[in-house]
Amino acid sequence: MTKERTFALVKPDGVQRGLIGEVLSRFERKGLKVVAMKLLVVTEDLAKSYYSEHIGKAFFEPLIRYITSGPSVAMVLEGDEAVAVVRKMMGKTSPIEADPGTIRGDFGLHIGRNIIHGSDSLTSAEREMSLFFSSDEIVDFERTDEQWLYGE
Ligand code: DAT
Ligand code: MG
């Protein structure tokens, strides 16, 4: 097993549309462990570092306005291959193209309002986790169902 930690964010549209519980519930039922979580309004400075890879693209300014437009819920999820698992559960960037059964495929209609973010690699995960959480806000613990999730 390759235990990983990844970063996910329920974006302001997900919070306003009452989807925090739905999203969290999917991750929990999958077996991913929530090891850090907070509700916050992403500031412009944080948004710009978080999305620095997109500086200069046409959608950058609207993206910054969107992500800072209201509260988001940030979390760190842990589990076997968590980075890839979360990306799969989110679906493609555009909710129009995202498969039914994925979060974006089930709840979105527009690329500029796609409900959730998830890190795309372990390197991004490390970077994003440290932008949103201090190390003492990420908690090591065992979930009692782990032996049933992973076997021997
Ligand atoms: P993802 O969120 O799937 O990792 P990304 O990192 O390429 O996608 O882009 C970050 C966010 O920027 C994405 O969730 C929504 C927005 N975005 C990306 N491409 C876009 C586009 N062509 N038009 C409008 N918004 C876009
Ligand atoms: Mg991305």
Side-chain angles (χ1 to χ4, degrees):
M1 144 163 157
T2 319
K3 188 172 91 170
E4 293 177 355
R5 283 180 173 172
T6 191
F7 174 78
L9 187 85
V10 182
K11 296 177 176 178
D13 52 331
V15 173
Q16 293 296 334
R17 294 178 56 211
L19 295 172
I20 302 169
E22 171 69 40
V23 169
L24 203 55
S25 166
R26 289 181 177 218
F27 291 145
E28 278 194 298
R29 286 179 295 164
K30 177 71 173 167
L32 291 162
K33 182 162 60 182
V34 181
V35 294
M37 187 161 65
K38 69 170 88 162
L39 181 136
L40 76 162
V41 178
V42 175
T43 62
E44 200 170 322
D45 278 355
L46 176 57
K48 285 179 173 164
S49 348
Y50 168 48
Y51 277 134
S52 56
E53 65 178 299
H54 298 300
I55 290 173
K57 295 183 187 167
F59 60 83
F60 182 71
E61 295 300 335
L63 178 62
I64 298 303
R65 283 198 295 279
Y66 161 44
I67 212 71
T68 57
S69 63
S72 293
V73 172
M75 66 189 81
V76 178
L77 299 164
E78 182 185 292
D80 197 13
E81 302 198 37
V83 172
V85 167
V86 168
R87 291 289 292 187
K88 222 172 226 179
M89 292 177 72
M90 283 164 39
K92 288 189 183 159
T93 306
S94 165
I96 303 278
E97 288 168 24
D99 290 330
T102 64
I103 295 165
R104 288 164 167 172
D106 285 349
F107 300 112
L109 273 173
H110 190 271
I111 194 166
R113 293 290 182 275
N114 63 359
I115 305 142
I116 184 149
H117 165 90
S119 310
D120 62 8
S121 66
L122 272 178
T123 311
S124 313
E126 286 292 332
R127 193 181 78 83
E128 292 164 3
M129 275 187 262
S130 65
L131 279 174
F132 283 81
F133 293 99
S134 58
S135 55
D136 64 354
E137 290 176 316
I138 304 175
V139 181
D140 274 314
F141 70 101
E142 277 189 25
R143 240 170 74 162
T144 56
D145 59 4
E146 281 173 40
Q147 58 182 308
W148 299 103
L149 269 169
Y150 295 117
E152 291 173 19

